[in-house]
Amino acid sequence: MKRPAGRDDPKRELWLAWYAILVFYNLYTVVFFILTRTQPPGKPWYGAGDASGWFAHHHDGLLVGFALIFVLGGLSATSIALITYSIRRMSVSRAFAYSYLILYSVSAVPGFLFICVAMTAGAMRPDRDPALQQWLYDLGFLSFSGTMGVFLVGSLIWMAAILLDKNRVFPKWFGYLNLCNALTEVVVAPSWMFDRGVFAWNGLIAWWINVVVFGLYTGVFINLLRNVIIREDFGTGPLPGLPKRARGHAPAEVVS
Amino acid sequence: MRRTSGELIILCALPAAAILWIAAFFLFPGFLPPMSPGSAPSEVAAFYGDHTARIRYSMILFNWFCVALIPVLMLIVERMRGMAHRTPIMRYCMIGCAGAAPIAFLTATIFWLLAAFRPDRAPELTQLYNDLGWITFTCGVPFLVAQSLFLAVSIFLDQQEKPVFGRWVAYFNVLVAVALVPAGFAGLAHSGVLAWDGLLSFWVKNIAIALWIIVMSVVLGRALPRDRAVAEAAA
């Protein structure tokens, strides 16, 4: 395996981003599954009293876990950036890359900041009126599961780019795995309507199958991104200097 | 023929935006001194009842102009093109954060405005909006932290004879990122330095953001003319 991010490694930026992705997804897993225990999610059918009790029971984990996301959540940009870069290496229009970049960047606030804010607000005041605690509980879980469109369209954009690409940056089968990820965003829609059963936010389809698909998809694309970096051929020499730097253009960049 | 890139206009608009930010900061009665998370619902409701107009005007100002930071962030992204990087990946990281950070603040202004919209609402509901506003405002630092770190890494990687930004700018950005970290933990305390009205979560965090804007605008101002000189020399 190529050693990452040495001082003169021409791929150091790529390896730094790739390792940041590893850190981010591991942090994400630890925070959501272990610290806050918000995955698997709480029961959607909880009444106000149960939701209030849930906050009291998860108090410390919620506050510490989501504080970690408040501090380190921005690392998610590395994953978006590396994937955007991978699309720029494809034979398709830059529009695909920029669409992916913007779609996933705007997903950050509804997709993970809302659950952090709502759960922190709930945990900060366990003695709040239970009806309001239930309101925060719903806001947390539904904003997290129910921010769908950006990931749906984002995955389709990435899929289309991979299937059209002549440079074979990603294998075609991964294009179709993007479709599977996009479908998880389709089948999660009923969680806005049902508070129990397979389609509820903790149900067999809307949670268990989705989390398996998403976990598999994420593991696969992290590995494929690693392959993309290994295959990049920048040569091994030092960076050429930038003596004739004209405004708005850096000649040393392979993709600018 | 002399062309105007417009970058200088963006930079020169920043002091005007900064004046509006400072004005809004002093206009909002909840910042000086910062509201305590330990206040009872009745106190919070009374605050919104007593200061309704000032809360509305200050938050409308913030809602209008907090996103005015985005063009300045894009100026930084444009300077990053001149860095000795092989890929645009650090710029993509910056762009990814640039949208989210001001939007997090914009979301906070919406919660505060909602609380002030019906000050006669049940006090517990006003407190809920107030909590959501303060938590979003105080803890919503992930993109600012990441942005500073990405910028620092970009500067460290810019190994050329005349780097775009001096190395001290990288260390400064690391320092700012560190100063923002405690604010993420504000949910853990109702009083003391970590609480959202505390020394670390309010004063250190907001002074760090203000300093960052001042220092980066000065550094940007120094980077712009150099580029113009390079372009003119090439022409």
Side-chain angles (χ1 to χ4, degrees):
Chain A
M1 186 189 144
K2 179 83 182 155
R3 295 303 302 162
R7 187 181 160 85
D8 294 319
D9 189 329
K11 299 177 182 177
R12 57 197 179 173
E13 298 141 45
L14 299 174
W15 283 121
L16 272 172
W18 190 81
Y19 275 92
I21 296 173
L22 276 196
V23 171
F24 173 74
Y25 277 105
N26 276 300
L27 170 83
Y28 216 64
T29 308
V30 169
V31 166
F32 280 92
F33 282 85
I34 298 169
L35 279 175
T36 63
R37 288 176 290 139
T38 44
Q39 298 285 313
K43 310 283 183 282
W45 57 80
Y46 270 0
D50 296 325
S52 194
W54 182 91
F55 273 114
H57 193 239
H58 289 66
H59 179 263
D60 293 344
L62 289 174
L63 291 175
V64 174
F66 286 131
L68 290 174
I69 299 284
F70 278 134
V71 172
L72 295 168
L75 283 180
S76 59
T78 53
S79 151
I80 304 168
L82 199 51
I83 292 169
T84 301
Y85 173 72
S86 78
I87 302 177
R88 288 294 312 277
R89 305 294 277 136
M90 296 178 191
S91 62
V92 296
S93 161
R94 294 177 184 197
F96 286 89
Y98 296 149
S99 301
Y100 188 92
L101 176 61
I102 294 302
L103 280 164
Y104 271 75
S105 299
V106 298
S107 75
V109 172
F112 81 77
L113 204 66
F114 273 12
I115 184 173
C116 296
V117 169
M119 295 301 186
T120 301
M124 264 188 91
R125 300 195 202 280
D127 53 347
R128 201 194 297 271
D129 175 1
L132 298 184
Q133 290 294 80
Q134 186 187 30
W135 188 90
L136 289 168
Y137 181 83
D138 290 348
L139 173 63
F141 283 119
L142 280 171
S143 64
F144 185 68
S145 304
T147 299
M148 305 174 288
V150 280
F151 304 112
L152 171 68
V153 178
S155 300
L156 291 178
I157 287 280
W158 199 12
M159 177 192 79
I162 292 168
L163 295 182
L164 293 169
D165 172 38
K166 302 275 186 249
N167 299 344
R168 298 171 65 189
V169 175
F170 283 98
K172 296 294 174 213
W173 61 262
F174 180 66
Y176 296 107
L177 197 58
N178 267 291
L179 186 61
C180 294
N181 191 57
L183 287 175
T184 65
E185 302 297 340
V186 174
V187 298
V188 84
S191 68
W192 286 104
M193 298 164 225
F194 298 106
D195 65 3
R196 63 194 69 219
V198 292
F199 287 116
W201 79 52
N202 72 335
L204 177 68
I205 292 174
W207 193 78
W208 289 97
I209 291 178
N210 276 6
V211 84
V212 169
V213 172
F214 177 74
L216 190 75
Y217 172 75
T218 307
V220 166
F221 83 62
I222 290 175
N223 262 298
L224 289 176
L225 286 172
R226 182 173 155 266
N227 293 345
V228 168
I229 299 173
I230 291 171
R231 282 205 315 272
E232 278 292 15
D233 186 11
F234 293 149
T236 52
L239 260 176
L242 300 170
K244 291 182 202 153
R245 179 153 64 85
R247 188 188 339 213
H249 181 65
E253 282 185 1
V254 177
V255 173
S256 71
Chain B
M1 199 179 86
R2 194 186 168 124
R3 283 175 302 165
T4 309
S5 75
E7 292 192 341
L8 210 55
I9 297 174
I10 295 178
L11 194 66
C12 291
L14 179 67
I19 289 169
L20 290 165
W21 295 333
I22 293 165
F25 182 88
F26 283 102
L27 188 59
F28 182 58
F31 283 155
L32 289 172
M35 295 173 76
S36 166
S39 304
S42 56
E43 292 172 303
V44 175
F47 168 83
Y48 281 92
D50 295 344
H51 305 287
T52 316
R54 280 182 63 185
I55 296 166
R56 287 174 182 166
Y57 298 149
S58 58
M59 284 305 148
I60 286 171
L61 272 179
F62 269 133
N63 193 294
W64 274 340
F65 294 112
C66 67
V67 290
L69 190 63
I70 292 177
V72 177
L73 297 175
M74 291 304 114
L75 281 188
I76 297 176
V77 170
E78 274 305 289
R79 292 312 91 206
M80 289 172 69
R81 279 180 187 272
M83 291 182 175
H85 297 169
R86 273 196 165 81
T87 67
I89 192 156
M90 297 312 297
R91 273 190 283 136
Y92 293 163
C93 285
M94 286 290 285
I95 293 172
C97 291
I103 297 302
F105 186 38
L106 186 114
T107 308
T109 70
I110 287 172
F111 288 131
W112 278 318
L113 282 168
L114 277 165
F117 186 67
R118 294 190 205 282
D120 52 348
R121 216 189 290 270
E124 284 76 16
L125 287 172
T126 301
Q127 187 196 38
L128 176 61
Y129 275 139
N130 185 60
D131 284 351
L132 291 172
W134 274 98
I135 293 168
T136 311
F137 169 69
T138 309
C139 304
V141 292
F143 313 106
L144 292 174
V145 172
Q147 188 174 282
S148 296
L149 292 180
F150 291 143
L151 193 52
V153 169
S154 304
I155 295 169
F156 285 132
L157 291 177
D158 181 23
Q159 287 156 355
Q160 52 177 328
E161 214 168 290
K162 285 186 177 170
V164 174
F165 296 128
R167 184 144 288 224
W168 68 270
V169 182
Y171 292 114
F172 171 73
N173 270 277
V174 172
L175 202 66
V176 167
V178 171
L180 296 177
V181 165
F185 291 83
L188 283 160
H190 286 256
S191 61
V193 291
L194 215 52
W196 74 46
D197 64 337
L199 176 72
L200 290 176
S201 295
F202 187 81
W203 294 107
V204 171
K205 174 208 150 200
N206 290 313
I207 289 171
I209 293 172
L211 260 181
W212 187 88
I213 293 171
I214 293 168
V215 169
M216 287 315 297
S217 57
V218 171
V219 171
L220 265 175
R222 277 159 47 181
L224 290 188
R226 191 175 71 117
D227 251 31
R228 197 164 51 193
V230 170
E232 278 167 9

